[in-house]
Amino acid sequence: MPQKDFEFTSESVSEGHPDKICDRISDSVVDLFLAADPASKVACETMTTTNRIILAGETFGPASVDNAAIEEAARRCVREIGYEQDGFHWKNAEVQIYLHEQSSDIRMGVERGEEKDEGAGDQGIMFGYACNETQDLMPAPIHYAHKILHDMAKARHSGQTDLLGPDAKSQLTLRYENFKPVGVRSVVVSTQHTAEATREQVEEVVRDIVKDVLPDGWNCPEEEFYINPTGQFIIGGPDGDAGLTGRKIIVDTYGGAAPHGGGAFSGKDPSKVDRSAAYAARYLAKNVVGAGLAERCTLQLSYAIGVAKPLSLYVDTYGTGTISEDKLSAILMEVMDLTPSGIRKQLDLRRPVYERTASYGHFGRKPDNDGGFSWEKLDLVEALKGATS
């Protein structure tokens, strides 16, 4: 029997975390290419360290997206995040670009031809998950961990406080009773701050934000509320720790509450099923829960490079489903074309909407009017209800 009463922990990191800076820069390159040509192919990795930004990878797209445009985008990302420090400054950092043309062998395998559909950009497994713990149908621990940091960044950018720096992390442990979150066991927030800020001042700012984020009555015991437990956090960002694209994949998804296929999202155009199929799996799982067909739902998809159709679709509703997983799996295959081109068409993924996904999670976000976060829509609910009635 599964454990009904337990504690579960998830963490998040801010937009100024070294790895998240890299994710954003890599996704800004994806957006540059897609804005110039929606058929572009991009696989961009970024590394940051003290006053240095290094980009590498493969692209296939218009020559108008040159190194000057890429460097400008990288500097803009760093500036908008808020880095103007001696050890990492948007204007002074050295930018090195080592992007080259995509392998013709890979392109041959994934492009559509006269006698075949477009194949997957790689082999792999992708997971999607949804649950009814929050309004956004996300696990509560990662939902609140993200929101704490999002609201801290909002306070910093708006001028509400001038004490906080861009680099920060949060971690929440929630108590569950009968599979439902009922309270907070502990809170950890580590945030970069100015040299002039006292520990008491930082604690006051953070406490107020955390209190506003958490539901009423969810405040943890004082002895379990940890703010900058090392004492101070002045040196942050890439000056304090090197960053790399794709190192926060659990932060990007479900905070460990669901499986992860292992592939990162940022820096990849939507022909890469690491990204697009993970979005499709979330889309389907969210609509299953949104339609009331389950309280929790995990989906797994698998693909082979150069092959269009998914090799498998696995569904688990953890005993909360209103119909069998076999029947639900068959219905999901009917309501959505899960080939790479079918996913991109249904979710309209060829738009330059990816830089905004780099921080505070790819899931549990509000769909944007320009097509961003289209995988968060609940527009399959009626079709699923009709197919199961």
Side-chain angles (χ1 to χ4, degrees):
M1 292 289 292
Q3 187 178 0
K4 295 182 178 180
D5 302 335
F6 54 90
E7 295 177 353
F8 194 83
T9 304
S10 293
E11 70 159 350
S12 181
V13 297
S14 73
E15 62 186 11
H17 185 280
D19 296 332
K20 281 289 138 199
I21 298 170
C22 295
D23 285 346
R24 180 167 176 175
I25 292 172
S26 292
D27 273 338
S28 76
V29 175
V30 174
D31 283 355
L32 275 177
F33 274 94
L34 292 179
D37 181 354
S40 295
K41 303 290 191 296
V42 182
C44 177
E45 312 292 344
T46 303
M47 174 183 173
T48 57
T49 185
T50 302
N51 264 337
R52 183 163 294 179
I53 302 168
I54 303 168
L55 296 89
E58 304 80 45
T59 65
F60 181 73
S64 60
V65 185
D66 57 13
N67 283 359
I70 292 169
E71 178 176 341
E72 181 181 356
R75 293 190 186 279
R76 174 188 54 77
C77 289
V78 175
R79 183 184 72 248
E80 291 179 357
I81 291 168
Y83 276 106
E84 295 186 345
Q85 302 167 6
D86 290 342
F88 195 69
H89 196 297
W90 66 269
K91 184 182 293 185
N92 302 330
E94 179 184 356
V95 178
Q96 301 175 23
I97 300 172
Y98 302 101
L99 293 166
H100 60 82
E101 187 171 336
Q102 183 188 47
S103 162
S104 58
D105 289 346
I106 293 177
R107 195 160 64 249
M108 178 179 63
V110 302
E111 288 187 341
R112 185 190 302 267
E114 292 183 3
E115 297 181 359
K116 74 179 188 72
D117 290 333
E118 179 182 335
D122 200 355
Q123 70 177 50
I125 56 175
M126 299 85 205
F127 286 91
Y129 181 74
C131 62
N132 60 4
E133 294 179 14
T134 64
Q135 285 189 335
D136 295 328
L137 304 186
M138 286 288 288
I142 191 67
H143 170 83
Y144 292 113
H146 282 324
K147 186 159 177 53
I148 287 170
L149 295 183
H150 178 272
D151 286 4
M152 286 170 58
K154 185 177 178 181
R156 179 172 59 87
H157 287 300
S158 69
Q160 179 182 334
T161 178
D162 59 359
L163 302 178
L164 305 182
D167 195 357
K169 300 178 76 171
S170 65
Q171 182 174 289
L172 266 73
T173 300
L174 298 190
R175 294 184 293 105
Y176 282 72
E177 294 178 3
N178 196 26
F179 299 115
K180 302 296 182 183
V182 297
V184 181
R185 176 70 174 83
S186 67
V187 176
V188 183
V189 178
S190 295
T191 179
Q192 189 182 14
H193 56 84
T194 63
E196 297 75 23
T198 67
R199 183 166 186 172
E200 291 74 21
Q201 288 174 320
V202 174
E203 287 184 355
E204 182 179 2
V205 170
V206 173
R207 283 178 188 278
D208 287 346
I209 292 173
V210 172
K211 182 179 179 180
D212 288 343
V213 166
L214 295 177
D216 291 341
W218 275 32
N219 292 328
C220 70
E222 181 61 29
E223 63 272 17
E224 297 295 335
F225 201 137
Y226 304 96
I227 301 174
N228 283 5
T230 62
Q232 73 175 32
F233 186 1
I234 298 171
I235 301 172
D239 191 31
D241 189 15
L244 290 170
T245 299
R247 279 206 302 198
K248 290 292 177 284
I249 58 176
I250 302 303
V251 170
D252 285 343
T253 53
Y254 309 102
H260 194 293
F265 303 154
S266 291
K268 298 176 181 177
D269 74 83
S271 73
K272 278 72 171 175
V273 285
D274 274 345
R275 181 167 220 162
S276 58
Y279 289 173
R282 161 65 178 173
Y283 175 62
L284 291 176
K286 184 175 183 180
N287 276 269
V288 166
V289 175
L293 302 181
E295 295 181 12
R296 291 186 289 155
C297 180
T298 290
L299 265 73
Q300 184 205 57
L301 293 165
S302 68
Y303 291 85
I305 188 169
V307 179
K309 66 179 181 65
L311 304 186
S312 64
L313 170 61
Y314 165 82
V315 181
D316 186 358
T317 56
Y318 304 92
T320 69
T322 60
I323 62 173
S324 70
E325 277 96 348
D326 286 345
K327 183 176 180 180
L328 183 56
S329 178
I331 291 171
L332 293 175
M333 292 289 282
E334 291 176 2
V335 299
M336 185 173 183
D337 177 358
L338 290 169
T339 64
S341 59
I343 292 170
R344 289 201 307 279
K345 181 178 180 181
Q346 175 123 2
L347 299 180
D348 200 7
L349 295 181
R350 288 194 182 274
R351 298 170 179 255
V353 295
Y354 297 102
E355 184 181 327
R356 71 193 70 171
T357 69
S359 301
Y360 313 117
H362 292 244
F363 308 128
R365 310 286 290 273
K366 301 298 183 185
D368 294 326
N369 291 333
D370 66 352
F373 301 105
S374 60
W375 49 93
E376 290 297 311
K377 291 182 178 180
L378 287 170
D379 53 2
L380 286 182
V381 165
E382 295 307 316
L384 289 172
K385 287 181 177 179
T388 57
S389 60

